[in-house]
Amino acid sequence: MSDLLWADVAYFFDPDLMGALPDVRVPDASVEDWQALLGLVAERGWKYQYSEGEIVLPVPPAQTVFSRPADAECPELRVWPSTDVLAIFRFHAAEEIDFDVDLRELQGQERLDVFCRFLRDIGRRLDKPVLMDPEGDYGHPVLGFDVEADRVVLLAEPPVM
């Protein structure tokens, strides 16, 4: 069963309206949450690639990533929860897990279901909400994993057309 129906949320996945790269985040995170995320990626068997600048490296422990010099290149972790869906995590700060997805890859019910499963897996592992804000509109989530409901829910209403 789908958390969300494409017909109900297609507006929020329109790259022209929401921006192609919405901000997806887990607020109030910690180094331990980042480490749990790294464990989840490995456990699920999702394809991934960790890099610092142009250099691809094995994934270090989260503590190592966050103890790098302040002027070091920001590491990123590319995760493919399915062949056609990519999430790019950037290790900006331990206090918030943030990543980008490309809305052009998330069109239709099947891809929406992949995305919802991905958010749900992360939210369940961390026992925290996972929120999606339109690109450039930080702090105004339109949907996300709700810990209490244990599913992805709409957090905003699309405008009446």
Side-chain angles (χ1 to χ4, degrees):
M1 182 174 183
S2 300
D3 283 6
L4 300 173
L5 296 177
W6 179 250
D8 296 338
V9 300
Y11 175 86
F12 294 118
F13 287 83
D14 184 330
D16 295 328
L17 299 173
M18 295 289 120
L21 303 172
D23 303 309
V24 189
R25 59 194 169 87
V26 178
D28 302 317
S30 65
V31 172
E32 292 78 19
D33 290 326
W34 277 97
Q35 189 60 50
L37 172 69
L38 296 176
L40 176 67
V41 169
E43 177 185 302
R44 287 287 190 264
W46 293 323
K47 181 181 170 193
Y48 64 89
Q49 177 183 305
Y50 174 85
S51 61
E52 294 178 9
E54 299 298 314
I55 303 168
V56 175
L57 300 164
V59 180
Q63 182 64 45
T64 302
V65 176
F66 287 109
S67 61
R68 72 192 190 290
D71 62 345
E73 190 95 37
C74 181
E76 69 177 34
L77 178 68
R78 294 173 171 264
V79 177
W80 288 267
S82 78
T83 307
D84 301 319
V85 175
L86 169 65
I88 303 173
F89 293 83
R90 293 189 176 81
F91 294 78
H92 291 296
E95 298 78 29
E96 184 168 81
I97 295 173
D98 71 289
F99 60 101
D100 292 325
V101 292
D102 189 331
L103 292 184
R104 294 167 292 207
E105 296 177 352
L106 300 175
Q107 298 299 302
Q109 188 67 51
E110 184 179 326
R111 300 273 180 94
L112 175 63
D113 289 344
V114 167
F115 182 60
C116 287
R117 265 192 313 276
F118 188 61
L119 298 186
R120 198 170 52 241
D121 286 348
I122 293 169
R124 283 177 177 167
R125 175 61 55 98
L126 303 179
D127 195 31
K128 295 185 184 221
V130 184
L131 308 170
M132 185 178 95
D133 302 319
E135 184 176 13
D137 197 12
Y138 183 88
H140 298 99
V142 295
L143 61 87
F145 174 76
D146 181 303
V147 175
E148 298 280 322
D150 191 38
R151 66 185 193 89
V152 177
V153 298
L154 271 178
L155 300 171
E157 291 294 322
V160 177
M161 301 301 226

